[in-house]
Amino acid sequence: MISPTMQDALNTQINIEQHSAQLYLAMSAHCAANSFKGFAHWLSVQASEETAHAAKLIQFLLDRGGRLQLRAVPAPAAEFGSVIEVMEKTLEHEKGITGKISALFELAREEKDYASEITLQWYVTEQVEEEANVGEIVAQLHAVGDKGGAIWYLDSKMGKRGA
Ligand code: OFO
C-alpha cells in the first residue's frame, strides 16, 4: 500500500504531466497557425508522450492500491512567439520537469518506497533524453536563425518524428 504522502506527490506529478501535454498541444497549434507544420507535428507527438507519462503513473498508483485524484489542469498560453522561442520555452519547461522528477525520486527514497523509486528511475532517464533532444533542436535553431531556407529544412526534419 502506498503512503498518503507518496500518493499525494504522485497525483501532483500526474497533473504536471497532463499540464505538459496541454502546453505542447497549445504550442503545436501555435506552430501550425504560423505554417511550421513540422514543428507542429513534433510538438503534437510530444503532447502524446506526456499523456503516456501521466497514464503510466496512473497505472502505477492504481497497482499500488492508491487513489487517483485528478485535478484541474491549468490552461496554457495561446501565443508563444517565434519557433526559436517555442523551443526555448520547451527546453525550460523540461528542465523544470526534471527538477520535479528529482524531488519525487528523493521523496521515494525518504519514504523508503522502493517500488516508487524503481518506477521513477524510468522518468529520470526519460528526462535526460528529453533535455538532450530539445537542447539539440534549440542549438540547431540558433545555428540557422528563424529566417531563410534552413528553417524550412529544419521544419521538414521535425515533421518526420515518429510516434
Ligand atoms: Fe513528461 O517528460 Fe516532458 O515534460
Side-chain angles (χ1 to χ4, degrees):
M1 191 76 182
I2 199 154
S3 76
T5 308
M6 204 64 215
Q7 174 178 286
D8 187 57
L10 286 170
N11 273 305
T12 299
Q13 189 61 37
I14 288 162
N15 182 264
I16 289 170
E17 300 291 345
Q18 291 178 326
H19 174 247
S20 297
Q22 289 275 70
L23 175 67
Y24 294 142
L25 272 181
M27 285 178 166
S28 171
H30 171 84
C31 287
N34 288 285
S35 301
F36 286 104
K37 296 288 188 313
F39 281 93
H41 169 77
W42 192 96
L43 285 156
S44 152
V45 173
Q46 189 64 26
S48 302
E49 277 204 3
E50 300 302 347
T51 300
H53 294 171
K56 195 176 163 94
L57 284 178
I58 290 170
Q59 190 58 54
F60 174 72
L61 183 63
L62 297 178
D63 287 347
R64 299 285 308 284
R67 291 291 300 269
L68 174 65
Q69 288 160 339
L70 289 176
R71 299 168 189 167
V73 179
E79 288 297 322
F80 299 94
S82 68
V83 169
I84 291 183
E85 286 171 318
V86 169
M87 296 314 292
E88 279 174 344
K89 281 171 188 159
T90 299
L91 183 57
E92 276 320 295
H93 183 76
E94 285 305 325
K95 285 180 179 172
I97 299 300
T98 299
K100 304 278 186 204
I101 295 292
S102 299
L104 201 50
F105 191 89
E106 205 173 312
L107 179 68
R109 285 214 160 153
E110 278 167 23
E111 296 266 309
K112 296 194 187 340
D113 184 339
Y114 304 116
S116 289
E117 190 177 319
I118 289 166
T119 293
L120 289 168
Q121 274 180 11
W122 183 89
Y123 288 83
V124 171
T125 308
E126 177 72 2
Q127 283 311 118
V128 172
E129 191 189 308
E130 298 224 322
E131 279 193 40
N133 288 343
V134 182
E136 192 180 306
I137 295 165
V138 169
Q140 288 173 349
L141 279 166
H142 279 139
V144 305
D146 56 6
K147 291 190 178 58
I151 186 79
W152 298 109
Y153 169 73
L154 214 47
D155 187 62
S156 72
K157 217 174 113 187
M158 297 289 281
K160 293 192 172 70
R161 180 180 184 180

